[in-house]
Amino acid sequence: MGEALYEKSLLVLRKLLQDGDLTVSEVVQSYLTRVRTVETRVGSFIELAEEEALLQGAKTLDERRSRGEGDISHHPLYGLPVGMKDNIAVRGMRMTNASRMLEHYRSPYDATVTTRLREAEGIIMGKLNMDEFAMGSSTETSALQTTRNPWHTDYVPGGSSGGSAAAVAAGEVAFAFGTDSGGSIRQPAAYTGVVGFKPTYGRISRFGVAAFASSFDTVGFLTRDALDAAFILDIFSGFDEKDTTSLPHEPTNVYHTLKDRDPDTFLKGLRIAVPHEFMGEVISPEVKARIEEAFHVLEQAGAHIEYVHFPHMAYAEPAYYILTSAEASSNMSRFDGVRYGYRAKDVEDIETMFKKTRSEGLGWEVKRRILLGTFSLSAGHYEAFYQKAQKVRTLIHEDFARLFADYDVVLGPTTPTAAFKFGERLSDPLKMYESDLLTVIANLAGLPAISVPAGFTSAGLPVGLQIMGPMLGEEEVLGVAHAYQTLTEHHLARPTL
Amino acid sequence: MSHVTESAEKTYETVVGLEVHVELATKTKLFCRCSTTFGDEPNANTCPICLAHPGTLPQLNEEAVAYAIKAALALGCEISERTKFDRKSYFYPDLPKAYQLSQYDQPLGQNGKIEIEVDGVKKTVRIERVHLEEDAGKLLHTVGGTLVDLNRGGVPLIEIVSAPDLRSGKEARAYLEKLKAILSYTGVSDVRMEEGSLRCDANVSVRPVGETRFGTKTEIKNMNTFSGVEKAIEYEAARQVEVLKQGGWVRQETRRFDDARRVTIAMRSKERAQDYRYFPDPDLVPFTVSRAWVEEIKSSIPELPDERRARYMAQYGLSAYDAGVLTLERTLADFYESAVQAGGDPKAIANWLMVEVLGHLNKENKAITETPMRPEHLSELVKLIEEGVISGKIGKSVLPEMLESGEAPRTIIERKGLIQIQDTSALEPIIAKVIENNPQSVADYRAGKDRALGFLVGQVMKETKGKANPQRVNELLLKALRS
Amino acid sequence: MQVTRDTVKEIADYAMLTLNEQELEHMVRDMQEIVSFVEKLNEVPTDGVEPMIHPVKLMIVMHDDTVQRTEDLDAVLGQAPDRSGSYFQVPQVLGES
Ligand SMILES: [Zn+2]
């Protein structure tokens, strides 16, 4: 197998480590070399962990193992290099959220996922770039650096988890954490040809994850394939007392169900809905073609695909922007320069300090959303904007409930087009918002959804297939994704860098 | 409309509604597990959650919710089955998230009431709502800038909003006293205005008697004592009446009470209107308060002041006034009841407790809980007087020592040799001596001058250094004079 | 609905943001575009529809009343831009002294 270490899937790498065919030091060294080779072109990391510390940590794990101490089967991510989106707290590391406001902020505590990652003995390679406070769809709103699409560096990696997607696509980490409030995992996954998985809202604790829009934010992962995602979900799902919005359920057990399942038997008779609204004019012909090919593969394996209607599709984006901006405007208000973060210089009184600090510390997109959110929550607009959007959210929820009464999953493209070039949409907010057109509905309803690679455009840019499932339907979503990947090889393609 | 002469003076009535904030006596804050201890180093009781570090989420304190429910039930409120927390947004350095978690349109408790009594007149004051929210931090304004201490930030508060049912400063004070009594009985707060665990703002307006609409109200802040509240309201109502009589109009504004000068002063009005942009907190989902939980809490509420007062009147024969004083604070009521149970005349014990004990403690600015004297000791003291072992006068003289040292009264009087001489054989020789030494007084008495008897009793008391039982002396002296 | 300069200035004030002339003009344009876009919702009949506060219905889990000390409080407080002793220090609050 000519595959380099950094190209292997998490589960393959894990097996090599568990069997003793590889040492943690070899794995870490290989990834560090890869990062050194490609990072100047990709720019995924806001902070890379210290090389010395990483190698020392790897050595400690290897030595412990050679002494026969510690049962590594209790540590499911033993020795595997992981990247964290920079809105997730890792004690002692930076947590900038790609904002000037928090440029020098170091988290004094661990997020719940970080705690579980340490228990699983994963290796934290560093913090990954993103759109500022996760507001954006191209990682261009990062105030700190540019991240490029590993398939073509003139193109954006998508966003907001652009650093996470690029790092996985470029082989800089074995998998990466992202967050998805309206497509922020799935959309960059589609643009960079990796798997992007967003579980049900509340499935994974949000404690320690900087809030953008609290009732939308969902922690998920960017991986090489769907089986990796299932394996990771089982580790990080489950109730957390520190997050009262986390689901009270036990951790999932999806990986073992999928691992030995025959894809054909699973797909036979599977009821798939494809809303017409997902395949309309706004979808580029090349994307549409790739997605129809994917439908064909699934149909060949015995799945039933039916075109249906999603009545409130056209209202999803407006509702999404009102609600997320409202929540964001409030979540961003804690950045006032009093207790941490940036503070403007030469200010005489408190109000000037607040205003100057926030105006200098926050970027344009963040300000725009704060203002839209403040507007929709203010007296006189609350009912017409905020509450109206909440009602539309209910209607979208009901649309889904009706669909899932008759179908197992809902399919479509992840994005209307493949990745776009830098600067192409930055000045036009509505054009930029269009890249989330097909992803926001899952967040409005809190449903699990995944984007899996489904081939390329003629320009060589990846296209993503999106699979959405019912509430708590991670097994269906990951099941279809895994079955699709056993029948196709799109996810095995790697960019040349 | 009837003709009103120019010179006719209208009479006005005062309309007051109170907003009272009470800090709950939980060990930890409302949304994190920091200590609520008072007086620690600045910011010693803080954590990433109450400092609003990025990524942190609120975790709800069950005890705080239980206390709030308990308080609302004790105030006669209905408990909402569905409730939620809302964000109230404004920027201020003592508010880390720049929003306060409070309850907007679904308060925990609604439609309560309490009874007050002013000058013998009873009145029901409606309580509109009781809701749970978090406290802000403290700011210290110095020349060099403002210092921020967030130890209080996130401490659970309940806000109790009365209907505009109060008609004077005196009624407002009676309302606060009753509120304090009820809350201290339930044990949800130590309700000390001086320490800031009870804070009160008053909405005050005036209107001509007979008018049903409300006048423009002002909001009075910075009242630090119950009597301050009373004075501030009286001053403010008088000020508003004066403004109206001069043909002016009352401006809707916030005013600060200046305790030293006993006036209210308009606070600098913020140029722009506040818009708090309340919306449901997406980090804390709406939740249900189960009926079973409410019932469980209800059953833990002790006998409240009104019930106890009625019982003290019926069971111990106390006057309405005395029963009222003794039941205003639970600790005092408990002390009284323990003393009565240890024996002695309940009325006498009430008298001693109210006049002597409270008189002494008030002078020292102490509460009943701050003396080592045990209730049984008060009972013992009253019994010693009843049995004639000591005089009431001697009782009064040993009480301060009991309150200071916590010693039993018998121990003190025995040590000091204060036991009354009741023994006839001990008193007779002294009486004989006094009669012998005061022939003139004896003659006067026998001539019908009753006052002479008093002089002779005084002489006996002097000889015994006050330890003789005066009644006994009287009896023996009469007997000796007659013989 | 028309988004005016005054509206944007007012909400910027609530949000503690300042915009210079050029930014204000730009923001009015952006906001107008977005507000017109989201006003599309007015087409949807929503009478009698319950507003959705949260995507999942949950029973809240509460914590008990036991104190937990902050580990390494210095690392938390030490993030502050300005301190005086263990206080956070900020510029003057106008209207107070
Ligand atoms: Zn705390």
Side-chain angles (χ1 to χ4, degrees):
Chain A
M1 218 153 82
E3 212 181 23
L5 265 190
Y6 60 79
E7 287 182 316
K8 295 182 192 306
S9 84
L10 177 86
L11 287 165
V12 170
L13 207 53
R14 178 171 184 269
K15 177 128 189 12
L16 293 169
L17 274 165
Q18 298 258 316
D19 293 349
D21 294 335
L22 265 181
T23 63
V24 179
S25 299
E26 285 170 306
V27 172
V28 170
Q29 191 57 263
S30 158
Y31 272 91
L32 277 172
T33 307
R34 177 66 177 170
V35 171
R36 268 197 300 273
T37 316
V38 301
E39 181 60 8
T40 48
R41 274 168 291 158
V42 179
S44 313
F45 284 93
I46 281 182
E47 180 179 19
L48 186 65
E50 290 215 17
E51 197 171 315
E52 281 297 301
L54 282 176
L55 291 172
Q56 189 52 51
K59 205 171 139 202
T60 309
L61 288 182
D62 285 332
E63 282 169 0
R64 198 192 65 195
R65 180 133 195 233
S66 63
R67 285 197 305 271
E69 290 166 19
D71 185 351
I72 61 170
S73 63
H74 291 148
H75 305 293
L77 296 173
Y78 174 80
L80 294 163
V82 184
M84 305 297 268
K85 188 176 180 179
D86 201 34
N87 57 356
I88 301 174
V90 175
R91 191 170 173 173
M93 290 190 98
R94 291 171 75 186
M95 185 184 179
T96 68
N97 283 272
S99 179
R100 291 263 168 253
M101 185 61 88
L102 297 177
E103 192 171 354
H104 304 292
Y105 176 76
R106 283 185 186 275
S107 179
Y109 72 101
D110 272 341
T112 296
V113 288
T114 306
T115 306
R116 292 192 185 171
L117 179 59
R118 293 191 201 277
E119 284 161 7
E121 296 195 336
I123 309 258
I124 298 172
M125 293 291 283
K127 304 298 294 290
L128 299 164
N129 198 22
M130 56 190 279
D131 279 298
E132 184 176 6
F133 287 110
M135 298 179 204
S137 309
S138 64
T139 310
E140 289 169 288
T141 71
S142 168
L144 304 181
Q145 75 188 54
T146 301
T147 300
R148 298 174 181 280
N149 192 320
W151 291 92
H152 199 314
T153 52
D154 290 345
Y155 287 78
V156 302
S160 66
S161 310
S164 302
V168 173
E172 294 179 298
V173 293
F175 84 93
F177 276 93
T179 57
D180 189 316
S181 311
S184 281
I185 287 176
R186 290 161 287 154
Q187 185 256 28
Y191 284 5
T192 58
V194 299
V195 168
F197 176 57
K198 165 219 173 302
T200 305
Y201 177 89
R203 188 63 106 169
I204 297 175
S205 170
R206 291 189 296 122
F207 185 78
V209 180
F212 155 29
S214 311
S215 78
F216 291 77
D217 298 348
T218 313
V219 179
F221 338 99
L222 294 109
T223 60
R224 302 258 157 74
D225 63 42
L227 207 53
D228 280 1
F231 181 76
I232 300 160
L233 176 70
D234 292 347
I235 300 169
F236 293 95
S237 58
F239 176 71
D240 176 20
E241 60 169 11
K242 291 177 177 168
D243 175 5
T244 64
T245 64
S246 69
L247 293 169
H249 303 71
E250 291 294 305
T252 55
N253 193 12
V254 181
Y255 171 67
H256 285 282
T257 315
L258 297 195
K259 187 170 57 124
D260 306 314
R261 186 154 76 188
D262 172 43
D264 283 315
T265 344
F266 173 67
L267 288 174
K268 205 162 296 293
L270 192 83
R271 299 163 305 166
I272 296 175
V274 176
H276 289 288
E277 294 79 3
F278 285 24
M279 297 291 277
E281 275 171 22
V282 66
I283 313 299
S284 79
E286 281 195 297
V287 167
K288 202 171 169 183
R290 292 299 90 77
I291 299 305
E292 280 166 350
E293 284 162 22
F295 292 168
H296 185 70
V297 168
L298 296 168
E299 275 182 317
Q300 287 291 302
H304 292 300
I305 295 189
E306 275 177 51
Y307 278 77
V308 297
H309 277 289
F310 197 96
H312 294 93
M313 182 67 192
Y315 307 106
E317 277 224 287
Y320 170 81
Y321 276 96
I322 291 174
L323 295 174
T324 54
S325 300
E327 292 184 16
S329 71
S330 171
N331 288 332
M332 293 296 116
S333 58
R334 64 186 57 195
F335 304 115
D336 59 5
V338 175
R339 302 161 312 282
Y340 54 81
Y342 177 75
R343 182 189 290 187
K345 307 280 170 295
D346 305 322
V347 280
E348 295 284 306
D349 66 276
I350 193 76
E351 191 163 323
T352 313
M353 192 276 264
F354 286 155
K355 285 185 170 167
K356 223 171 158 219
T357 296
R358 291 168 59 77
S359 299
E360 292 171 2
L362 299 172
W364 187 253
E365 181 64 29
V366 175
K367 287 179 192 167
R368 194 158 58 196
R369 298 207 201 190
I370 288 176
L371 292 178
L372 175 64
T374 307
F375 172 82
S376 355
L377 288 174
S378 62
H381 301 122
Y382 185 87
E383 279 174 28
F385 288 85
Y386 180 71
Q387 208 171 56
K388 182 80 181 179
Q390 282 185 315
K391 290 179 175 179
V392 171
R393 192 176 189 186
T394 303
L395 295 174
I396 285 164
H397 191 79
E398 289 169 359
D399 282 356
F400 267 121
R402 272 190 295 273
L403 272 186
F404 285 118
D406 297 328
Y407 300 93
D408 299 309
V409 286
V410 174
L411 257 61
T414 307
T415 54
T417 68
F420 47 90
K421 284 187 173 162
F422 285 96
E424 215 176 278
R425 299 187 181 181
L426 201 52
S427 59
D428 184 351
L430 293 189
K431 192 77 193 153
M432 185 67 94
Y433 296 172
E434 214 171 69
S435 30
D436 301 335
L437 189 68
L438 304 167
T439 44
V440 297
I441 48 169
N443 301 78
L444 281 160
L447 306 179
I450 197 167
S451 175
V452 293
F456 295 85
T457 64
S458 51
L461 294 167
V463 169
L465 166 71
Q466 185 175 208
I467 305 159
M468 289 182 238
M471 209 65 161
L472 306 175
E474 282 86 353
E475 198 176 305
E476 283 83 349
V477 169
L478 289 163
V480 175
H482 175 57
Y484 174 71
Q485 292 189 329
T486 57
L487 301 170
T488 56
E489 294 195 331
H490 303 304
H491 62 290
L492 300 177
R494 299 283 181 265
T496 38
L497 267 161
Chain B
M1 195 181 155
S2 62
H3 180 74
V4 179
T5 56
E6 289 277 290
S7 60
E9 285 270 308
K10 282 187 196 161
T11 34
Y12 288 86
E13 74 170 345
T14 308
V15 177
V16 181
L18 295 182
E19 283 171 23
V20 177
H21 285 93
V22 176
E23 267 183 5
L24 298 179
T26 55
K27 292 184 199 74
T28 62
K29 294 184 179 182
L30 185 50
F31 299 113
C32 65
R33 292 176 133 176
C34 288
S35 167
T36 55
T37 319
F38 195 76
D40 287 348
E41 272 282 287
N43 296 309
N45 300 325
T46 60
C47 70
I49 298 175
C50 57
L51 296 175
H53 275 243
T56 54
L57 295 170
Q59 296 154 34
L60 187 57
N61 182 345
E62 185 163 23
E63 191 84 328
V65 179
Y67 278 12
I69 293 173
K70 197 171 187 177
L73 286 171
L75 297 172
C77 289
E78 300 153 13
I79 305 300
S80 308
E81 206 159 338
R82 289 283 289 168
T83 187
K84 64 182 168 76
F85 284 93
D86 299 278
R87 295 181 177 182
K88 177 184 182 181
S89 302
Y90 63 96
F91 283 86
Y92 211 62
D94 65 2
L95 190 67
K97 298 184 290 293
Y99 57 81
Q100 179 194 29
L101 284 175
S102 180
Q103 299 193 287
Y104 183 52
D105 54 354
Q106 288 172 20
L108 209 48
Q110 272 169 296
N111 304 325
K113 60 175 190 316
I114 60 180
E115 299 277 336
I116 59 167
E117 193 175 323
V118 173
D119 301 331
V121 181
K122 282 189 179 163
K123 175 170 189 170
T124 300
V125 182
R126 291 168 299 158
I127 288 171
E128 287 180 350
R129 58 187 283 155
V130 174
H131 74 247
L132 190 53
E133 63 184 28
E134 58 179 335
D135 205 351
K138 291 254 179 300
L139 298 185
L140 208 75
H141 303 287
T142 70
V143 192
T146 297
L147 305 179
V148 187
D149 172 13
L150 295 168
N151 282 347
R152 306 310 292 160
V155 168
L157 293 178
I158 46 172
E159 181 174 333
I160 302 156
V161 182
S162 86
D165 288 349
L166 301 161
R167 292 292 172 270
S168 65
K170 222 171 172 181
E171 284 191 6
R173 183 179 182 158
Y175 168 83
L176 286 173
E177 273 165 359
K178 181 52 77 64
L179 195 64
K180 179 181 163 135
I182 292 171
L183 294 176
S184 81
Y185 268 64
T186 55
V188 301
S189 171
D190 58 8
V191 255
R192 299 227 179 128
M193 207 168 185
E194 321 79 62
E195 283 177 16
S197 60
L198 184 151
R199 283 168 249 159
C200 172
D201 299 333
N203 288 309
V204 181
S205 63
V206 296
R207 63 182 172 190
V209 170
E211 171 65 64
T212 52
R213 285 169 302 174
F214 293 120
T216 306
K217 67 185 179 188
T218 57
E219 188 183 2
I220 317 297
K221 291 187 178 293
N222 197 42
M223 300 171 291
N224 302 315
T225 58
F226 285 179
S227 75
V229 172
E230 181 177 346
K231 284 172 199 138
I233 291 169
E234 294 302 342
Y235 171 85
E236 177 59 16
R239 185 192 70 84
Q240 291 184 14
V241 168
E242 200 48 42
V243 167
L244 295 175
K245 281 185 175 165
Q246 302 291 331
W249 45 276
V250 175
R251 189 196 300 268
Q252 180 158 4
E253 63 191 357
T254 303
R255 301 177 68 86
R256 188 170 60 81
F257 180 57
D258 185 329
D259 209 354
R261 293 164 54 208
R262 296 190 177 181
V263 295
T264 66
I265 303 151
M267 289 170 76
R268 195 179 308 198
S269 62
K270 296 202 169 111
E271 292 124 60
R272 63 186 144 84
Q274 283 281 11
D275 181 349
Y276 291 124
R277 284 163 281 130
Y278 281 102
F279 79 106
D281 183 16
D283 284 333
L284 282 166
V285 290
F287 62 102
T288 310
V289 176
S290 78
R291 291 297 103 181
W293 196 28
V294 173
E295 285 311 313
E296 186 191 321
I297 293 168
K298 194 179 257 171
S299 67
S300 74
I301 295 175
E303 186 186 31
L304 293 174
D306 283 350
E307 302 164 57
R308 212 172 207 191
R309 180 183 181 205
R311 184 166 64 78
Y312 281 14
M313 289 165 69
Q315 193 174 341
Y316 303 130
L318 301 187
S319 70
Y321 176 80
D322 289 0
V325 171
L326 288 176
T327 53
L328 209 52
E329 274 181 57
R330 185 182 176 181
T331 46
L332 185 63
D334 286 347
F335 190 97
Y336 172 71
E337 193 130 42
S338 303
V340 169
Q341 272 156 13
D345 174 32
K347 280 189 189 171
I349 291 175
N351 246 319
W352 275 87
L353 188 52
M354 287 167 58
V355 181
E356 299 304 326
V357 176
L358 289 188
H360 188 83
L361 291 175
N362 284 347
K363 246 186 283 168
E364 311 247 300
N365 211 358
K366 276 185 180 168
I368 189 76
T369 47
E370 289 169 299
T371 159
M373 183 178 82
R374 310 232 315 260
E376 308 86 77
H377 295 160
L378 184 64
S379 149
E380 189 181 308
L381 183 72
V382 169
K383 281 188 285 184
L384 287 170
I385 296 163
E386 275 170 22
E387 288 159 8
V389 179
I390 54 170
S391 65
K393 198 171 164 196
I394 288 191
K396 282 179 195 175
S397 74
V398 299
L399 187 72
E401 202 171 334
M402 290 166 63
L403 286 164
E404 291 304 319
S405 69
E407 272 181 294
R410 187 173 284 279
T411 317
I412 300 171
I413 58 179
E414 275 173 2
R415 189 180 61 235
K416 296 198 166 172
L418 296 174
I419 295 182
Q420 288 190 103
I421 305 169
Q422 302 216 58
D423 191 351
T424 313
S425 58
L427 288 174
E428 272 172 346
I430 299 167
I431 288 169
K433 191 176 150 202
V434 166
I435 289 176
E436 195 187 317
N437 291 346
N438 295 284
Q440 186 55 49
S441 299
V442 172
D444 286 352
Y445 175 75
R446 286 184 174 142
K449 290 187 181 170
D450 282 352
R451 272 175 52 204
L453 182 64
F455 174 77
L456 292 169
V457 170
Q459 292 304 303
V460 177
M461 294 305 287
K462 199 171 164 189
E463 287 288 321
T464 61
K465 299 194 171 71
K467 283 190 280 179
N469 180 329
Q471 233 169 325
R472 193 97 187 101
V473 172
N474 223 30
E475 281 164 35
L476 292 173
L477 200 58
L478 282 174
K479 208 170 113 195
L481 289 169
R482 275 191 221 112
S483 64
Chain C
M1 123 170 227
Q2 177 87 23
V3 176
T4 65
R5 287 168 59 93
D6 284 348
T7 310
V8 175
K9 267 166 120 169
E10 191 191 354
I11 57 173
D13 215 40
Y14 288 149
M16 289 291 170
L17 291 171
T18 38
L19 300 167
N20 63 33
E21 267 311 300
Q22 202 188 341
E23 289 172 329
L24 182 63
E25 205 175 293
H26 187 175
M27 193 59 90
V28 170
R29 226 171 32 237
D30 278 7
M31 289 281 292
Q32 182 66 66
E33 199 184 355
I34 299 169
V35 166
S36 305
F37 169 65
V38 300
E39 277 187 313
K40 197 182 171 69
L41 293 186
N42 293 336
E43 299 167 7
V44 190
T46 52
D47 283 352
V49 177
E50 269 295 299
M52 185 165 158
I53 294 174
H54 218 265
V56 286
K57 293 226 184 315
L58 294 168
M59 283 291 292
I60 199 157
V61 175
M62 302 187 215
H63 71 74
D64 62 15
D65 195 26
T66 47
V67 173
Q68 236 165 48
R69 293 265 153 219
T70 305
E71 281 178 65
D72 204 5
L73 184 60
D74 288 344
V76 183
L77 301 179
Q79 301 266 352
D82 192 9
R83 286 209 285 167
S84 170
S86 62
Y87 286 103
F88 298 116
Q89 181 156 320
V90 295
Q92 256 183 34
V93 175
L94 286 180
E96 312 273 349
S97 57

